[in-house]
Amino acid sequence: MNKNHFKASINKVKRFLFGMKFTDGFILKFLIYFLLVVVGFVFIYPLLIMASYSLMSLEDLLNPMVFQVPSAIYFENYETAWRALDYLSVFFMSLLITLLPAIIQTVIASFIGYGFARFEFPLKKMWLGLVLLTYLIPPQVTLIPKYVMFNDMGILNNPLAILLPTTFGQGLNSAIFILIFYQFYRMIPKALDEAAQIDGANRLYIYFKIAVPLSIPSFITSLLFSFVWQFNETYQTLIFLGDGMTLQTRLAAFVSAIQGNTGSGLIERATNESQMMAGNILIMIPLIIFYLILQRHFIEGIDKSGLTGE
Amino acid sequence: MKQLLNKFADFYRKITTSIKNFFIKLGIWILSGLQWALFGISWFFYRVKVKNEKNYVITFGFIPVRLEHWNAFWTFFVEIKHTKGGTDQLVIFKFMKFKLTNRRREAIIGYLFIGVWIIGFLWLTLVPLITSLQYSFFKITFSGDQGIQLNFVGFDNYVEIFNQLTYFQALQDFVYRTVLYLPLILILAMILAILLNQKIKLRGFFRSVFFLPVIVASGPIMTTLLGTTGDGGLLAITSNDTLTAALANTLPPFLAEFVGSMFTHLISILWFSGVQIILFLAGLQKVNREVYEAASIDGASPWETFWKITLPSLKSIILVAAIYTIVMLATFPTNLVLIRINEARRSDYGYASALSWVYFLIIGVILGIVAFLLTYEKKTIVKKQLMEVKR
């Protein structure tokens, strides 16, 4: 009897550890959790470091005994960074430069994606290929002539420098959004369109009243990604908009002292690393809040938008 | 603070009202003038017999025009003639006649939808592309009175690229980094996606954590973390030494140092793989569960299942993720090549254009190789099997 009991309990433990098939058991689950936690920690580690540095005072920085955990919480770095970045007014300017192009980009991408998805016209494949090519070209190749062109048009240092390409479908990573909408609209059955046509709707009406309401998930996804990418875009904004207009460009100048690069001199420089970290964190905070509120849309949007195809 | 808001509001108001006023005035003048001119022309060429009822249409410039005149005016340019029992006819400028079949109709409407993009592409991408190629063959200097002087130098700019060490090194660094990072990012993203696909409790939380860097990583922030050369920065300062020291207890010293310095690379790879994880996750969830069950009934081990079922179904997504990764690595602001191009831009446009074209070609080659590797399908084997079945 004891032997049977013993065997039964061993079996129980085995079943617990390994499960019916290998994937149910505790060992595997533990392994998965462990890996995820480790990787997750490595992901967050830089942010934690930045946060802890930003709270250090100058003495803590110079003190070799203090390592990564500040001895006292020191908020003055944030004040310096806030002042140097001129946070509030530049934040609204940044928002304007980001939100407006994001909306325009989404609307135009949806329009163009619908055109590619629903109509057959000669040379369609060529144009589609060119859309893809737009994404593959690094922006530097077209940058200099665009700079000269915008200079002649007089719209440098003006949000129009970003809005103009966006309105014509050449915005930042526009091709991705066009392709997202293209994939999505291909998945909508044509029978809907044809039924509406029988009832006498013209194609534009079909677009606005049928295609657009169905593609709201794609709209949300494109809007979110467009907003985030445009907000974080430093390179083109630096060149077309000059040094002080968006938060990111000001951060680049603020940070540049530590990195040893030259800047414009109009923006106060960080004098030590804690201020640099404080500046970085100030920039990240609106994005993180934005992300935490809307994260479901971000992640599920990639599923629903159909970029991965059916 | 109120001062700041007021300043900003004033600035914004000034600009928008002045632009608005200017455009409104200009628009009204142009449209009215145009309408009167065209109306006069159409009246000259096409006299309309007016009957008793007079229907007026309010058009541009708030000028009422008779409906028949208005329609007659437009038929001078474009008209669609409906025929009973045949195809409609599209008549342009009163003499060019086209049969308006359904296919042609669809083509016209399609081009109308795409038109905006085509204009933008030709004007803002193609023309700059060609101009940039032209610039790369010139040496461009600015004379004192703000003129641009172009001196044709042929391939000199390109030759100088290979003579100057800094840019060539940056290119090499980029190619090495891409070749190293691309497979690591894809593999890591796939592993993490598979891990996230299992039934565990905190799946949503981990998904959010892994996707966070995509939202947060921007040029200045990554420069802070990684330093301008990609190996320095905050991470190097804080973690490399400690990690090396911690590992020195368990590993031989040179290996500990190697792994320690790899930490920044590891963080780079992880932070760049956010979008790919989500792509793979979406792809994994689209695979039919029944296929897995059938495989396990037939006795396939998890390893076999992965290689024979999961991986082939993810093939197209791997291509998309690979292209996205390469383009992101190529255009991210911490990229050394871009920094060099930026420096060159300040001094000489022609040289900078040549640099960017070389960079473009290299990216194109890398993309081509990757696309070829990932889309190669063995067609010959299938043919052989078919022939055997026929016999």
Side-chain angles (χ1 to χ4, degrees):
Chain A
M1 273 301 282
N2 274 343
K3 213 177 174 187
N4 280 345
H5 269 272
F6 190 55
K7 248 195 182 167
S9 41
I10 285 216
N11 273 341
K12 249 198 199 163
V13 172
K14 247 198 203 168
R15 187 66 55 81
F16 174 65
L17 283 182
F18 292 108
M20 298 294 279
K21 29 187 179 114
F22 188 61
T23 51
D24 265 357
F26 179 72
I27 283 193
L28 196 76
K29 286 217 168 133
F30 179 73
L31 208 63
I32 294 179
Y33 271 111
F34 180 70
L35 279 174
L36 283 178
V37 165
V38 166
V39 174
F41 178 71
V42 177
F43 261 86
I44 303 192
Y45 178 73
L47 298 177
L48 294 175
I49 291 267
M50 283 170 66
S52 83
Y53 256 73
S54 68
L55 292 173
M56 284 192 194
S57 60
L58 196 55
E59 302 91 46
D60 277 347
L61 266 185
L62 298 174
N63 188 349
M65 302 300 283
V66 171
F67 179 69
Q68 290 186 3
V69 179
S71 55
I73 297 193
Y74 180 74
F75 277 120
E76 271 74 12
N77 292 326
Y78 281 96
E79 284 180 33
T80 323
W82 182 281
R83 229 186 20 235
L85 293 175
D86 199 7
Y87 201 77
L88 217 52
S89 62
V90 181
F91 180 68
F92 285 118
M93 191 56 157
S94 225
L95 214 60
L96 176 76
I97 295 182
T98 312
L99 206 58
L100 211 55
I103 296 178
I104 295 181
Q105 197 174 38
T106 307
V107 167
I108 298 269
S110 144
F111 205 67
I112 297 176
Y114 184 76
F116 272 117
R118 273 291 185 249
F119 303 99
E120 293 296 327
F121 41 89
L123 301 178
K124 177 169 156 182
K125 287 219 159 77
M126 178 189 88
W127 290 117
L128 209 51
L130 285 179
V131 170
L132 191 59
L133 187 74
T134 313
Y135 178 58
L136 301 177
I137 301 179
Q140 287 67 35
V141 184
T142 53
L143 195 73
I144 296 172
K146 264 198 206 173
Y147 184 77
V148 171
M149 204 189 294
F150 288 165
N151 203 9
D152 290 340
M153 287 202 274
I155 59 176
L156 280 183
N157 286 332
N158 186 340
L160 215 57
I162 306 247
L163 285 178
L164 193 66
T166 316
T167 327
F168 283 95
Q170 311 299 314
L172 183 67
N173 283 344
S174 259
I176 293 188
F177 302 120
I178 295 179
L179 289 174
I180 287 181
F181 279 109
Y182 170 67
Q183 286 273 41
F184 189 86
Y185 285 132
R186 278 216 321 196
M187 291 201 293
I188 300 180
K190 275 201 173 171
L192 280 173
D193 280 20
E194 287 166 6
Q197 275 183 298
I198 292 178
D199 286 336
N202 63 25
R203 305 306 290 246
L204 206 63
Y205 189 85
I206 295 179
Y207 169 69
F208 276 111
K209 297 280 184 176
I210 297 182
V212 167
L214 278 178
S215 59
I216 298 243
S218 286
F219 265 93
I220 297 181
T221 311
S222 299
L223 207 65
L224 291 178
F225 273 101
S226 183
F227 180 78
V228 169
W229 279 336
Q230 191 69 45
F231 192 83
N232 281 337
E233 170 67 24
T234 337
Y235 190 66
Q236 294 188 22
T237 24
L238 253 178
I239 293 180
F240 289 135
L241 291 183
D243 225 354
M245 272 203 175
T246 67
L247 277 180
Q248 299 285 1
T249 52
R250 288 187 87 102
L251 181 67
F254 184 62
V255 159
S256 66
I258 309 289
Q259 310 289 341
N261 299 331
T262 55
S264 74
L266 290 173
I267 298 172
E268 184 184 331
R269 285 314 142 62
T271 51
N272 60 33
E273 280 143 9
S274 342
Q275 290 175 350
M276 187 166 85
M277 297 308 144
N280 278 329
I281 297 232
L282 276 182
I283 303 276
M284 288 201 297
I285 285 183
L287 280 177
I288 293 184
I289 295 179
F290 184 69
Y291 174 60
L292 287 178
I293 299 178
L294 293 167
Q295 56 181 305
R296 193 172 57 92
H297 291 285
F298 269 106
I299 299 182
E300 291 180 7
I302 300 190
D303 284 1
K304 285 192 198 150
S305 66
L307 189 63
T308 47
E310 240 343 306
Chain B
M1 236 254 299
K2 208 169 184 198
Q3 272 183 336
L4 289 172
L5 283 176
N6 282 338
K7 232 186 349 173
F8 169 73
D10 283 349
F11 172 66
Y12 184 76
R13 206 182 304 134
K14 245 193 317 182
I15 286 189
T16 48
T17 44
S18 61
I19 292 180
K20 211 173 30 161
N21 288 337
F22 174 67
F23 273 116
I24 289 178
K25 267 196 288 191
L26 188 66
I28 290 183
W29 274 107
I30 290 181
L31 287 175
S32 314
L34 207 64
Q35 186 202 316
W36 277 115
L38 294 176
F39 176 59
I41 294 176
S42 80
W43 180 250
F44 183 71
F45 280 110
Y46 197 109
R47 303 212 170 217
V48 175
K49 289 217 173 68
V50 176
K51 293 214 174 139
N52 286 332
E53 62 268 11
K54 296 179 180 174
N55 299 312
Y56 283 87
V57 166
I58 309 289
T59 55
F60 308 132
F62 307 105
I63 301 161
V65 174
R66 290 211 182 111
L67 185 61
E68 309 90 35
H69 298 175
W70 185 244
N71 289 336
F73 155 63
W74 282 114
T75 63
F76 187 65
F77 296 99
V78 158
E79 185 190 4
I80 298 182
K81 283 208 176 105
H82 302 288
T83 58
K84 260 199 241 174
T87 50
D88 299 341
Q89 249 193 359
L90 180 68
V91 184
I92 303 183
F93 292 131
K94 286 236 174 276
F95 71 99
M96 293 199 283
K97 302 194 167 96
F98 303 99
K99 249 203 282 198
L100 199 64
T101 61
N102 267 341
R103 198 178 295 173
R104 287 216 182 120
R105 221 185 270 255
E106 197 173 321
I108 291 178
I109 300 184
Y111 268 109
L112 281 179
F113 267 89
I114 311 280
V116 180
W117 187 87
I118 295 184
I119 296 177
F121 175 74
L122 292 176
W123 177 33
L124 291 170
T125 305
L126 196 63
V127 164
L129 210 63
I130 299 180
T131 321
S132 155
L133 191 60
Q134 283 177 339
Y135 278 177
S136 69
F137 291 124
F138 288 75
K139 198 162 194 63
I140 298 181
T141 49
F142 293 97
S143 54
D145 50 352
Q146 296 217 334
I148 299 185
Q149 275 192 334
L150 290 88
N151 306 317
F152 184 73
V153 288
F155 279 100
D156 277 4
N157 278 333
Y158 289 94
V159 174
E160 198 175 328
I161 292 178
F162 293 103
N163 289 338
Q164 271 215 4
L165 203 54
T166 51
Y167 184 69
F168 197 61
Q169 268 183 349
L171 271 181
Q172 263 187 335
D173 182 66
F174 167 71
V175 174
Y176 288 158
R177 196 180 284 262
T178 307
V179 168
L180 196 65
Y181 277 16
L182 181 65
L184 289 177
I185 290 180
L186 288 180
I187 294 175
L188 199 66
M190 197 179 303
I191 294 178
L192 286 176
I194 294 179
L195 284 180
L196 281 178
N197 204 20
Q198 310 294 324
K199 293 192 240 21
I200 47 177
K201 290 266 171 60
L202 292 169
R203 215 160 79 168
F205 170 72
F206 281 115
R207 236 174 24 172
S208 312
V209 165
F210 291 159
F211 202 65
L212 184 64
V214 176
I215 309 294
V216 158
S218 65
I221 293 182
M222 290 307 266
T223 317
T224 316
L225 283 177
L226 298 176
T228 45
T229 57
D231 282 334
L234 181 65
L235 289 179
I237 299 175
T238 57
S239 31
N240 282 358
D241 300 328
T242 58
L243 200 61
T244 317
L247 285 175
N249 299 330
T250 49
L251 292 174
F254 69 92
L255 205 60
E257 191 179 320
F258 179 71
V259 175
S261 66
M262 280 297 119
F263 192 63
T264 45
H265 287 291
L266 184 66
I267 299 261
S268 297
I269 294 180
L270 280 177
W271 273 43
F272 281 147
S273 51
V275 175
Q276 289 83 330
I277 296 179
I278 305 297
L279 280 177
F280 284 137
L281 197 59
L284 280 175
Q285 287 174 342
K286 289 205 161 73
V287 177
N288 212 346
R289 293 255 166 215
E290 295 171 1
V291 180
Y292 284 126
E293 288 178 14
S296 73
I297 287 178
D298 284 339
S301 67
W303 181 252
E304 277 176 2
T305 331
F306 175 71
W307 280 104
K308 303 272 184 187
I309 300 182
T310 318
L311 212 49
S313 62
L314 282 181
K315 246 196 173 171
S316 66
I317 301 180
I318 296 181
L319 182 64
V320 171
I323 294 183
Y324 177 79
T325 312
I326 294 179
V327 174
M328 180 180 57
L329 285 175
T331 55
F332 207 73
T334 58
N335 196 343
L336 205 60
V337 181
L338 300 184
I339 296 177
R340 297 272 174 262
I341 295 184
N342 216 16
E343 289 169 2
R345 187 179 60 86
R346 295 181 204 275
S347 56
D348 183 9
Y349 278 2
Y351 186 55
S353 302
L355 289 178
S356 9
W357 267 93
V358 171
Y359 189 46
F360 178 33
L361 287 173
I362 292 187
I363 296 178
V365 165
I366 296 181
L367 277 170
I369 294 179
V370 169
F372 175 71
L373 285 177
L374 287 175
T375 54
Y376 177 67
E377 281 165 0
K378 301 190 181 137
K379 291 200 178 119
T380 50
I381 297 185
V382 178
K383 242 186 185 172
K384 256 192 188 167
Q385 285 177 344
L386 275 177
M387 288 178 61
E388 291 197 18
V389 167
K390 264 188 185 168
R391 263 193 243 131

